[in-house]
Amino acid sequence: ADLPGDPWEALCDLLRRDPHASGVFHTMHDDDVTAIMADPLVSIGSDGGPPVGPNHPRTFGTFPTFLGTYVREREVVPMPEAIRKVSSAVAAQFGLTDRGWLGSGAVADICVFDPATIGHDGTYEVPDVRPRGVRHVFLAGREVVADGEFTGGRHGTVLRRGAL
């Protein structure tokens, strides 16, 4: 079916035809994104959904893309600062006192990755691509990725501020 030539009218027409339609909108300039990432007060997180059904590349690739593209390749922040941004800074922001650090009393959530290869090749057309460079992942001390392969273990849990 023909759509109107005006982008706004085409969008409205698509939504009228399919109220469940969704879209990807690129509204941020890369210079702004990198400046925000570099700020020491900014942590890195994702609003990606569960890794089932139609999804966004960030569901599988937020952290590998940050660590590979923005840290290793573009040097937006040094790797130690990047690790802080994806671990203790996020945990502190959400009041998760037992997460984001390693030591006695902390939950052993650990990702072992190769900084030389970490990355993600997912696209909007094929988002569910396995990240590169992830060697081992432990959730609460249980290995869920071993030598780059998912073990089948589903040991994640809902996290709540201040809950141990």
Side-chain angles (χ1 to χ4, degrees):
D2 291 324
L3 293 175
D6 175 68
W8 177 252
E9 290 300 321
L11 174 63
C12 292
D13 195 44
L14 284 171
L15 290 173
R16 278 191 292 275
R17 293 177 191 194
D18 181 2
H20 301 289
S22 63
V24 176
F25 304 96
H26 298 273
T27 59
M28 297 182 286
H29 192 278
D30 192 58
D31 290 346
D32 295 332
V33 171
T34 55
I36 291 166
M37 282 181 184
D39 190 297
L41 297 178
V42 171
S43 62
I44 305 299
S46 173
D47 63 348
V52 295
N55 56 48
H56 191 284
R58 70 177 162 248
T59 301
F60 292 84
T62 293
F63 301 101
T65 298
F66 172 66
L67 295 169
T69 302
Y70 292 96
V71 176
R72 181 187 62 242
E73 295 171 14
R74 297 177 62 187
E75 300 179 335
V76 172
V77 295
M79 188 61 78
E81 173 65 358
I83 301 301
R84 185 191 71 79
K85 285 176 167 289
V86 301
S87 58
S88 62
V90 175
Q93 180 180 359
F94 287 99
L96 304 172
T97 58
D98 60 344
R99 309 272 172 162
W101 55 281
L102 298 175
S104 180
V107 175
D109 288 341
I110 303 167
C111 177
V112 178
F113 66 92
D114 179 354
T117 61
I118 189 78
H120 186 248
D121 297 318
T123 64
Y124 290 103
E125 294 77 21
V126 183
D128 53 346
V129 174
R130 181 183 301 192
R132 288 179 278 108
V134 175
R135 301 291 180 236
H136 303 277
V137 176
F138 297 86
L139 295 179
R142 296 176 170 163
E143 195 166 30
V144 296
V145 173
D147 295 318
E149 297 296 325
F150 179 53
T151 65
R154 302 208 178 264
H155 306 293
T157 186
V158 174
L159 303 178
R160 300 194 189 286
R161 180 181 298 275
L164 295 175

